[in-house]
Amino acid sequence: MIKSYFKTAWRSILKHKTFSGINVLGLAIGISASLVIFMIVSYEFGFDRFQQDRDRIYRVVLGATFGGEAQGFSAGVPAPLGSAIAGEITGVEQTVPVFQFQGDASADVMIREEKDGKRQVFKKQKNVVFTNADYMSLLGYQWMAGNAKGALKDPYTVVLTESRALLYFPGIPAHMLVGRQLQYNGITATVTGIVKDLDQPTDFKAKEFISLPTIAVTSLRDNFMMNVWDDWMAYSQLYVKLSKGYTREQAAAAVNALFRRHYDPLKKPGNTITLMLQPLSDMHFNSQFQSFDSRLASKTTLYGLLAVAGFLLLLGCINFINLSTAQSSQRAREIGIRKTIGSSRMQLVLQVLSEIFLVTLMATLLSVLLTPWILKLFAAYTPEGLTADFLYHREVVLFLLALTLFISLAAGIYPALILCSYKPVLVLKRSVTVAAQSRHVWIRKMLTVGQFVIAQFFVIATLMVGKQIRYSTHADMGFNKDAVVTFNIPRDSLNAHRAVLIHRIKEIPGVQSVSSGFFSPADAGVAFVNVSYSNGKETVNPQAQIRWGDTAYLKVYDLKLAAGRNVSANDSVNEFLVNETFTREMGFQHPEQALGTYLRWNDKALVPVVGVIKDFHDMSLKSRISPMVFRNGTGATFHIRLAPANAGMSWATTVSKIQGVYRQLYPEEPFKYSFVDEMVAGFYKNEQATEGLLKWATALTILISCLGLLGLVIYTTNSRTKEIGVRKVLGAPVKQIVTLLSKEFIVLVVLAFVIAAPVAWWAAYKWLQNYAYKTTMSWWVFALSGLLMLMLAAVTLSIRTVRAAMANPVKALRSE
């Protein structure tokens, strides 16, 4: 019986090749997009799901407030906190401190060959951490050599992952590496173990594990401030595994009580520092505590992608339903005969569903073949670790099976019930055609409108997101970000080479000005400063950021003074510039009123305000301009303004000459530079990715909608062949016939725009509230969207209507 169902279904598909092809293509597009999106979502939500007892694993993080307002969050905690928790809190089963080298968190690794004594140096190796043996058991590493108990117990020991062992000692078996030595920034460590690399998605990226006791017996003890409770930087992180029955709330209370015993935060109203326990499941999604170059995902974006997948599948199902109901009258006689010879209602439903299942199965197989190509095409939007191999994971296979069955039922149950509801007597009298047309035409119209509502929504959303990105990237930041190059020099040689480097760079013809200092005016990072101003009645403690640099800093970035003068070139005398927003926080109406006032810096020194800088954006346009303090001084970051590219030397040539000067002073250090305008554009990386995905989603929704429209117009012209022939014989021109056939569909597209426009306006308005400075809701965005959809619909309709209008009427009238 089942074989007969599928045999008949296959014959029906071959008989209606055009409609079957449209259905397969529409569903394949929707299923392909859904499959890729499911793989992305499944991969992202699969991060750190493999650890045993993961519901009891937390990262200790820190939140600080000053003046009653949120000041910031940090994944870094005081360095001595880990040992204190291990010794004083009994409800913590495992305490795992994790430290990284300061600066760029990298290490130069040197290895001496045993045979000839030659040394090999691996520069700037990432993912090197200091930790204890509990780190290995917390994440469930598999040991290839050495043992978990003693590998990281003593100072000057290190455990390598298999990939790093192959990098440093290619071709040598793991068990023969135990006892070999490596140097990390001059610290010699002996290999005591080799573990397999983690093969599951994880934010724990470490590849080399130096024993924690090494810190206590080296100069790193002071660098990491192992006894300092009032410092917390990203290089010091802490993980804990709670004992069974010991709740997160109990642990947080105990940790904060311990913290208060060792450190009393600022004794001012509204100033607090609180330690919190972040669940392991939250680490991959919470941007407040991002650190160590971890790549985070946005749950909002992932849910948005799921919504896009749902819409695309819905459009494919709508196509199927529309074309199936449109063809129902043509299959009425077949159903009537089957009923007459004894077929039951259930048998007829199964017959129709088997046909739909076969079409869906073909679309699914096509999607599986397309997915590896789609992953390459969307490489800019997919996670780095997601490959085509993920397609064969068990959850993906189950998803495809469930999706195939779901689409078969969702798209097929309504057409199946319609066909099976026909009465044999009416069918065999040929009186069902008109009734079927009138009864179900409104449903097809409603579904077509729904398709184009979704398409119009995506078009408007894409245009608005693109408009905001262009506004953000081209907005006046309050400083000149174009043609400015920045790079860092080693901090340990700052004073030795800074002046020489500045002098030599200034001599390069393509350089206009050079400055040494801290962050650029706008930067992805934040650097808050503890400054306050007392007017005699009250003390104002603004949530201020800090920048510093030499006297050329303002010139490099073309920062304008609203009042006063630039800072002094004398590093031994501290002076402040503040921005206009800071003066308003101080209570002044005019910038010049702030001149000559003093700010208390870090609750100690009083520093005079000698100038006021005009406001500039210190972060993306999502955030309001922060109160800003600028201090005179030098730093490891060099800021270089290049001459215009048409001034005789290209920027590439100029940067190459700067690199040559840099390498003369630092021959063993890599030269890494960046353009400030590219860094600012990176503020909107997520929005640009969203725009890219919206463009693809829009293209797919338009394609599926137009495929459905094409299928309906093909059916309409086929069913009205004789009418068209009669009209042509009576003298109707081609233009009139095309208008007659297209008018109904154009009205549906216009109606879809009327429905979609207010919904899209509301969604765009809500999205723009994420920005402190945003573009306007321009009328032309909606007008362009409507016009674009009308043009695409007209082109799609003309593919068939023009051909039908120009056909020879004799052929239409001479046959029944």
Side-chain angles (χ1 to χ4, degrees):
M1 180 66 73
I2 295 176
K3 181 181 179 181
S4 174
Y5 286 153
F6 284 103
K7 190 174 182 179
T8 305
W10 179 247
R11 288 174 178 171
S12 178
I13 290 172
L14 294 179
K15 183 179 179 182
H16 305 96
K17 295 184 181 67
T18 301
F19 294 117
S20 298
I22 291 174
N23 281 330
V24 170
L25 183 57
L27 285 175
I29 293 171
I31 294 173
S32 297
S34 301
L35 178 57
V36 172
I37 288 172
F38 176 81
M39 291 171 66
I40 293 173
V41 173
S42 179
Y43 178 81
E44 296 289 13
F45 279 105
F47 265 67
D48 292 309
R49 302 283 297 175
F50 60 90
Q51 292 91 343
Q52 189 176 8
D53 302 322
R54 60 181 177 272
D55 58 325
R56 294 194 280 129
I57 299 174
Y58 297 88
R59 178 169 63 174
V60 182
V61 294
L62 180 147
T65 61
F66 291 94
E69 297 183 4
Q71 179 83 359
F73 299 90
S74 173
V77 295
L81 182 63
S83 58
I85 289 177
E88 300 182 37
I89 300 180
T90 56
V92 176
E93 185 176 305
Q94 288 182 320
T95 306
V96 185
V98 178
F99 294 87
Q100 283 192 318
F101 285 103
Q102 292 172 296
D104 60 359
S106 67
D108 292 340
V109 183
M110 192 269 285
I111 304 169
R112 288 191 181 275
E113 297 292 339
E114 289 188 340
K115 295 181 179 179
D116 51 18
K118 292 183 178 180
R119 67 175 190 172
Q120 187 176 11
V121 179
F122 296 83
K123 303 288 289 186
K124 300 292 184 181
Q125 289 295 94
K126 297 284 189 179
N127 303 320
V128 179
V129 301
F130 295 83
T131 190
N132 56 23
D134 284 340
Y135 185 100
M136 319 308 293
S137 60
L138 190 75
L139 301 181
Y141 278 95
Q142 296 182 24
W143 289 82
M144 301 176 64
N147 63 84
K149 292 184 178 180
L152 294 176
K153 184 179 180 181
D154 300 322
Y156 301 112
T157 57
V158 65
V159 172
L160 304 178
T161 56
E162 183 181 16
S163 60
R164 286 294 166 90
L166 290 173
L167 175 66
Y168 298 149
F169 309 102
I172 302 178
H175 67 276
M176 295 181 64
L177 297 179
V178 176
R180 299 292 293 267
Q181 290 187 333
L182 304 92
Q183 280 191 3
Y184 294 89
N185 290 345
I187 297 174
T188 302
T190 302
V191 177
T192 54
I194 308 294
V195 295
K196 283 186 173 294
D197 290 87
L198 297 175
D199 58 357
Q200 300 288 334
T202 179
D203 284 312
F204 293 88
K205 304 297 185 184
K207 300 292 184 181
E208 303 175 60
F209 315 92
I210 305 174
S211 62
L212 195 64
T214 304
I215 297 176
V217 295
T218 62
S219 60
L220 293 174
R221 180 181 182 86
D222 295 328
N223 291 345
F224 286 151
M225 293 180 280
M226 298 301 293
N227 295 319
V228 178
W229 284 87
D230 61 350
D231 180 86
W232 39 88
M233 300 295 285
Y235 60 74
S236 167
Q237 295 197 12
L238 178 63
Y239 299 86
V240 294
K241 182 178 180 181
L242 305 185
S243 304
K244 290 183 179 180
Y246 196 61
T247 66
R248 175 186 177 185
E249 292 73 18
Q250 289 175 315
V255 169
N256 277 286
L258 180 152
F259 183 54
R260 298 289 179 264
R261 290 197 297 270
H262 291 273
Y263 172 68
D264 188 11
L266 301 177
K267 298 178 179 179
K268 293 182 180 180
N271 293 347
T272 60
I273 296 173
T274 305
L275 298 175
M276 299 167 283
L277 269 62
Q278 182 188 21
L280 188 64
S281 58
D282 185 59
M283 282 176 47
H284 189 61
F285 303 101
N286 195 330
S287 60
Q288 288 180 327
F289 306 111
Q290 184 175 9
S291 63
F292 287 2
D293 298 326
S294 60
R295 184 194 62 81
L296 300 186
S298 167
K299 287 186 178 180
T300 302
T301 300
L302 295 177
Y303 293 143
L305 285 175
L306 290 176
V308 169
F311 281 130
L312 292 173
L313 283 177
L314 178 61
L315 292 176
C317 291
I318 288 175
N319 276 358
F320 207 119
I321 294 170
N322 268 346
L323 296 181
S324 298
T325 54
Q327 288 181 281
S328 61
S329 60
Q330 296 181 3
R331 300 190 61 181
R333 293 186 68 191
E334 173 195 342
I335 300 300
I337 292 172
R338 287 180 179 274
K339 279 192 171 184
T340 302
I341 60 177
S343 292
S344 67
R345 184 182 181 89
M346 180 56 69
Q347 288 175 324
L348 293 174
V349 169
L350 290 176
Q351 174 61 61
V352 176
L353 288 179
S354 63
E355 180 180 329
I356 294 172
F357 174 77
L358 195 56
V359 170
T360 307
L361 185 61
M362 293 167 62
T364 303
L365 294 175
L366 179 60
S367 301
V368 172
L369 295 176
L370 290 175
T371 297
W373 175 76
I374 294 174
L375 286 175
K376 291 182 180 179
L377 186 65
F378 284 83
Y381 311 115
T382 56
E384 185 178 348
L386 181 62
T387 63
D389 294 338
F390 198 74
L391 184 63
Y392 306 104
H393 284 206
R394 182 172 61 89
E395 60 267 25
V396 177
V397 175
L398 293 175
F399 169 77
L400 281 174
L401 292 174
L403 189 62
T404 302
L405 293 174
F406 173 78
I407 292 175
S408 300
L409 289 174
I413 196 66
Y414 179 68
L417 292 176
I418 288 176
L419 285 170
C420 298
S421 66
Y422 292 150
K423 296 180 180 180
V425 176
L426 295 177
V427 168
L428 298 177
K429 285 183 178 181
R430 294 179 178 268
S431 59
V432 73
T433 303
V434 176
Q437 291 280 5
S438 59
R439 188 181 311 131
H440 305 299
V441 69
W442 70 271
I443 297 178
R444 290 199 297 274
K445 289 181 178 179
M446 182 177 67
L447 293 175
T448 301
V449 169
Q451 279 188 313
F452 279 92
V453 165
I454 296 172
Q456 293 270 16
F457 178 88
F458 276 111
V459 171
I460 295 172
T462 302
L463 291 174
M464 283 304 304
V465 170
K467 190 169 182 285
Q468 175 61 32
I469 291 175
R470 287 189 296 275
Y471 173 83
S472 299
T473 53
H474 292 87
D476 181 9
M477 297 287 290
F479 65 93
N480 190 348
K481 64 182 183 298
D482 300 321
V484 178
V485 174
T486 65
F487 64 87
N488 291 326
I489 65 172
R491 293 179 180 275
D492 55 4
S493 63
L494 176 61
N495 294 327
H497 297 313
R498 184 187 66 84
V500 175
L501 187 59
I502 288 178
H503 176 72
R504 291 186 181 179
I505 291 176
K506 281 183 177 180
E507 292 180 339
I508 298 174
V511 173
Q512 283 191 346
S513 53
V514 185
S515 174
S516 163
F518 185 46
F519 283 167
S520 302
D523 197 274
V526 293
F528 292 107
V529 62
N530 181 20
V531 295
S532 61
Y533 168 69
S534 177
N535 58 16
K537 297 180 181 178
E538 61 177 351
T539 299
V540 180
N541 194 331
Q543 185 180 336
Q545 288 208 57
I546 188 170
R547 302 287 187 267
W548 67 77
D550 57 26
T551 55
Y553 187 96
L554 271 62
K555 182 180 179 182
V556 169
Y557 288 103
D558 198 19
L559 290 166
K560 305 297 184 183
L561 287 172
R565 61 172 175 83
N566 198 354
V567 290
S568 170
N570 188 350
D571 288 350
S572 62
V573 178
N574 286 323
E575 292 180 340
F576 276 158
L577 303 179
V578 297
N579 66 352
E580 294 171 304
T581 298
F582 194 103
T583 64
R584 289 191 289 271
E585 293 279 344
M586 296 168 72
F588 297 127
Q589 298 296 321
H590 305 287
E592 56 271 13
Q593 292 177 295
L595 300 178
T597 59
Y598 285 81
L599 303 180
R600 187 168 294 280
W601 181 23
N602 290 334
D603 292 326
K604 296 177 182 178
L606 288 172
V607 180
V609 175
V610 299
V612 177
I613 307 174
K614 289 187 176 180
D615 277 343
F616 58 87
H617 291 278
D618 54 287
M619 290 184 286
S620 75
L621 268 66
K622 287 184 177 181
S623 305
R624 295 200 171 275
I625 294 174
S626 304
M628 180 69 65
V629 170
F630 180 85
R631 179 177 65 84
N632 60 325
T634 57
T637 303
F638 274 60
H639 309 264
I640 304 171
R641 171 158 295 283
L642 306 180
N646 57 5
M649 183 179 293
S650 69
W651 289 345
T653 302
T654 304
V655 172
S656 178
K657 290 181 178 296
I658 294 171
Q659 181 178 7
V661 172
Y662 178 90
R663 285 182 173 171
Q664 289 176 6
L665 297 175
Y666 308 104
E668 296 186 357
E669 296 294 332
F671 179 72
K672 296 181 179 180
Y673 69 92
S674 60
F675 280 90
V676 174
D677 58 345
E678 293 178 353
M679 182 265 292
V680 171
F683 291 166
Y684 311 101
K685 183 179 179 180
N686 290 337
E687 286 78 4
Q688 290 169 339
T690 300
E691 183 189 25
L693 290 173
L694 277 175
K695 285 179 179 177
W696 280 104
T698 300
L700 293 178
T701 55
I702 291 174
L703 177 59
I704 296 174
S705 300
C706 288
L707 280 174
L709 190 62
L710 179 62
L712 285 178
V713 76
I714 290 174
Y715 167 77
T716 301
T717 54
N718 287 345
S719 63
R720 299 177 69 176
T721 302
K722 286 189 178 298
E723 176 191 344
I724 295 170
V726 170
R727 288 180 180 275
K728 291 200 69 175
V729 169
L730 295 177
V734 172
K735 180 180 179 181
Q736 186 183 60
I737 294 175
V738 170
T739 303
L740 177 70
L741 295 174
S742 305
K743 181 175 64 175
E744 180 181 352
F745 296 105
I746 293 296
V747 170
L748 296 180
V749 175
V750 173
L751 179 60
F753 172 76
V754 172
I755 297 173
V759 177
W761 181 92
W762 177 83
Y765 174 80
K766 287 292 185 182
W767 179 74
L768 286 174
Q769 299 313 302
N770 294 321
Y771 291 82
Y773 307 92
K774 47 187 171 287
T775 187
T776 56
M777 301 279 287
S778 302
W779 64 269
W780 63 262
V781 170
F782 299 88
L784 179 61
S785 169
L787 183 62
L788 177 64
M789 292 307 301
L790 277 176
M791 290 175 60
L792 290 173
V795 170
T796 303
L797 292 169
S798 67
I799 294 173
R800 185 65 179 181
T801 55
V802 173
R803 179 182 171 188
M806 296 180 68
N808 188 347
V810 175
K811 294 182 180 179
L813 296 175
R814 71 182 179 184
S815 62
E816 287 291 330

